[in-house]
């Protein structure tokens, strides 16, 4: 039902670009461009839902930590265990049943503002797996304890969130939102309010922390990855520059804490030494796929970067595509080596590694919602259904209604691409038309050849030559 293809060789590393000044200078440059908008030029602009635009869609998601497995879809999450030694426990939570703000938000016209749906937008485990957190479209941040599963708190965030993560110490939750801000929420004080940590001028799409909690890394819509000091977020250590579209995902490699992986709407996976902002390697994903595939000419963004420390493997699931890319991280050579392209008959929603077991893939197929892959003789292959896999799949099938609304829904990346606005070509075309009209007018006004034209002058010249002879 699933097939595998082998990757071709990876291109040589690409060098990093020059440093970006900072967000203040960036804003000044944009204002300068706007002030001279009357000039004829080619320029690019973002279109679609932005920080003030529509809601970002959310497809189904998968999360793994230890033996705890979570599948989310719509407003619900389903948590179970992949271990055969654990009992057949199942925890289900529905955000639509969570408490909501008592006060009614009103806009400038005094009318009630749309409170949003209860769809889960982002979720993640803490490093140890002791905590799990999610945020939904109703601007709620919901914190859980996982052993046993219990909802600890429901808090309100200022704006709809796009990504979140725990600090390595598991004392804080960092939440990135659509307006470019990152807020921190305490885990030890589960009902405490949020604190503004840092801000961007652009929509944030992902946030990560270094394993020692010294740095906060943020990825935004304007192609930048910023590395800030956690103790003083206004102090910027570096920018990782090189992507030519929005940065969809970032991931700090846990057993190589100086390295960062990033993906973008430019269809590349890049490896960075993030403290210096130096790009180490760039892999164009479009060069690794078969041109005969029906989606080969479709632009896409990576929706998940997951890592297996045991084998230094990187897996990528892409927004709306029935594929998973497998790479090998060669930290000594500072490069990513393409290993395999897993293809599926159904759309892949998400993928995540489980240490010691392999790669779990969540797909849009009720009969086989979850597939487990393991490396066999150097090739990743789907494993036969075990008792644990059958049990987990049975739980998902029984609760398939929460995933039905995710069919055909992507992660909202399609609205983030830049559109090229070219007003130079029409201007040059009109200018050429005017020149042609002027030449045609001159031809019509020029005297025609004849007795009073060039022919008469030529005869007069001939007569003068005859007299002189």
């Amino acid at each position: 039902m699933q097939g595998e293809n082998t990757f071709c060789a990876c291109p040589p590393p690409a060098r990093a670009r020059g440093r970006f000044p900072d967000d203040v200078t960036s804003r000044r440059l944009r204002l300068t461009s706007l002030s001279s908008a009357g000039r004829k030029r080619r320029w690019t602009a973002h279109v679609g839902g932005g920080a003030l635009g529509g809601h970002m869609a959310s497809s189904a998601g998968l999360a793994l930590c230890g033996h705890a497995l979570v599948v989310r879809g719509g407003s619900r999450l389903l948590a179970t265990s992949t271990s055969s030694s654990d009992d057949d426990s199942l925890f289900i939570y529905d955000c639509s049943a969570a408490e909501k703000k008592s006060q009614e938000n009103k806009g400038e016209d005094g009318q009630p503002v749309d409170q949003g749906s209860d769809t889960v937008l982002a979720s993640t485990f803490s490093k140890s797996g002791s905590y799990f957190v999610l945020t939904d479209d109703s601007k709620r941040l919901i914190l859980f304890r996982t052993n046993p599963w219990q909802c600890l708190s429901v808090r309100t965030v200022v704006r709809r969130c796009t990504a979140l993560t725990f600090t390595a110490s598991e004392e804080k939750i960092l939440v990135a939102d659509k307006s470019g801000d990152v807020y921190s929420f305490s885990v030890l004080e589960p009902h405490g309010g949020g604190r503004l940590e840092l801000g961007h001028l652009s929509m944030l799409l992902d946030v990560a922390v270094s394993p020692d909690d010294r740095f906060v890394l943020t990825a935004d819509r304007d192609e930048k990855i910023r590395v800030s000091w956690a103790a003083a977020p206004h102090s910027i250590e570096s920018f990782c520059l090189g992507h030519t579209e929005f940065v969809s995902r970032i991931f700090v490699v846990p057993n190589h804490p100086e390295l960062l992986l990033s993906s973008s709407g430019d269809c590349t996976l890049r490896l960075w030494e993030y403290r210096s902002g130096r790009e180490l390697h760039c892999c164009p994903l479009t060069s690794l796929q078969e041109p005969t595939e029906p989606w080969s000419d479709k632009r896409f963004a990576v929706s998940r970067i997951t890592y297996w420390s045991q084998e230094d493997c990187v897996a990528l699931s892409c927004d709306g595509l029935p594929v998973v890319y497998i790479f090998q991280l060669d930290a000594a050579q500072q490069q990513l080596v393409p290993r395999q392209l897993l293809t599926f008959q159904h759309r892949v929603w998400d993928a995540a590694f489980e240490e010691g077991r392999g790669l779990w893939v969540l797909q849009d197929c009720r009969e086989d919602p979850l597939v487990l892959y393991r490396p066999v003789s150097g090739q990743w292959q789907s494993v036969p259904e075990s008792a644990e896999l059958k049990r987990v799949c049975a739980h998902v099938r029984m609760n398939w209604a929460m995933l039905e609304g995710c069919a055909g829904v992507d992660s909202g990346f399609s609205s983030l691409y830049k559109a090229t606005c070219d007003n130079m070509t029409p201007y040059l075309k009109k200018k050429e038309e005017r020149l042609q009209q002027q030449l045609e007018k001159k031809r019509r006004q020029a005297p025609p050849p004849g007795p009073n034209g060039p022919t008469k002058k030529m005869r007069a010249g001939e007569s003068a030559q005859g007299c002189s002879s």
Side-chain angles (χ1 to χ4, degrees), residues 181-239:
D181 296 329
V182 174
Y183 286 82
S184 65
F185 291 81
S186 174
V187 176
L188 304 179
E189 299 177 4
H191 295 282
R195 172 187 172 185
L196 179 62
E197 296 290 347
L198 60 88
H200 282 234
L201 292 174
S202 178
M203 178 181 185
L204 289 180
L205 297 179
D206 207 358
V207 59
V209 295
S210 61
D212 57 6
D213 274 344
R214 295 177 65 194
F215 300 101
V216 178
L217 297 89
T218 46
D220 69 18
R221 184 181 184 178
D222 286 339
E223 309 160 9
K224 301 192 305 296
I225 301 170
R226 186 206 289 183
V227 182
S228 308
W229 284 85
H234 60 275
S235 179
I236 299 173
E237 177 74 2
S238 67
F239 285 96

Side-chain angles (χ1 to χ4, degrees), residues 41-60:
R41 64 178 63 198
R42 290 185 178 91
W43 52 285
T44 57
H46 289 298
V47 295
L52 302 176
H55 304 171
M56 287 187 69
S58 178
S59 62

Side-chain angles (χ1 to χ4, degrees), residues 29-75:
L29 292 173
R30 285 199 288 270
L31 291 175
T32 303
S33 296
L34 290 173
S35 66
S36 57
R39 302 174 186 174
K40 302 298 186 292
R41 64 178 63 198
R42 290 185 178 91
W43 52 285
T44 57
H46 289 298
V47 295
L52 302 176
H55 304 171
M56 287 187 69
S58 178
S59 62
L62 175 68
L64 278 157
C65 189
H67 295 303
L69 180 146
V70 171
V71 174
R72 64 174 174 86
S75 64

Side-chain angles (χ1 to χ4, degrees), residues 229-381:
W229 284 85
H234 60 275
S235 179
I236 299 173
E237 177 74 2
S238 67
F239 285 96
C240 299
L241 303 175
H243 285 296
T244 58
E245 278 286 357
F246 59 88
V247 182
S248 61
R249 293 291 177 261
I250 54 175
F251 181 85
V252 179
V253 183
N255 53 338
H256 303 286
E258 75 283 1
L259 299 180
L260 172 73
L261 295 168
S262 70
S263 61
S264 166
D266 61 14
C267 298
T268 63
L269 174 67
R270 301 184 189 229
L271 180 67
W272 307 85
E273 187 182 76
Y274 62 86
R275 286 201 60 179
S276 64
R278 185 164 65 98
E279 183 181 299
L280 304 175
H281 201 184
C282 175
C283 288
L285 300 180
T286 52
S287 66
L288 307 176
Q289 61 194 27
E290 295 293 335
T292 56
E293 295 290 348
W295 41 266
S296 59
D297 58 344
K298 178 183 177 182
R299 61 181 182 179
F300 59 88
V302 172
S303 56
R304 167 63 76 96
I305 301 176
T306 183
Y307 183 75
W308 194 16
S309 301
Q310 180 177 319
E311 298 288 340
D312 277 340
C313 279
V314 180
L316 310 177
S317 61
C318 301
D319 190 29
L321 298 187
V323 297
V324 172
Y325 293 86
I326 304 291
F327 291 84
Q328 190 80 32
L329 174 60
D330 188 342
Q333 297 296 322
Q334 298 182 334
Q335 65 178 358
L336 294 158
V337 182
R339 290 301 186 195
Q340 201 171 345
L341 179 64
L342 307 180
T343 59
F344 298 79
Q345 293 182 355
H346 305 277
R347 176 186 179 185
V348 172
W349 275 325
D350 207 349
F353 280 111
E354 180 184 2
E355 292 294 334
R357 191 180 292 268
L359 179 67
W360 290 82
V361 179
L362 177 65
Q363 60 178 353
D364 185 8
C365 176
R366 183 167 186 167
E367 291 72 24
D368 296 301
L370 287 164
V371 185
L372 180 60
Y373 275 77
R374 289 176 183 162
V376 179
S377 301
Q379 290 289 305
W380 286 81
Q381 299 178 9

Side-chain angles (χ1 to χ4, degrees), residues 450-466:
N452 299 323
T455 306
K456 182 178 180 180
K457 292 181 180 179
M458 183 185 68
R459 289 177 179 174
E462 290 175 353
S463 302
Q465 287 180 4

Side-chain angles (χ1 to χ4, degrees), residues 10-26:
C10 194
R15 305 307 302 169
R17 296 183 179 178
R19 281 176 171 265
F20 196 81
D22 55 33
D23 276 351
V24 176
T25 310
S26 173

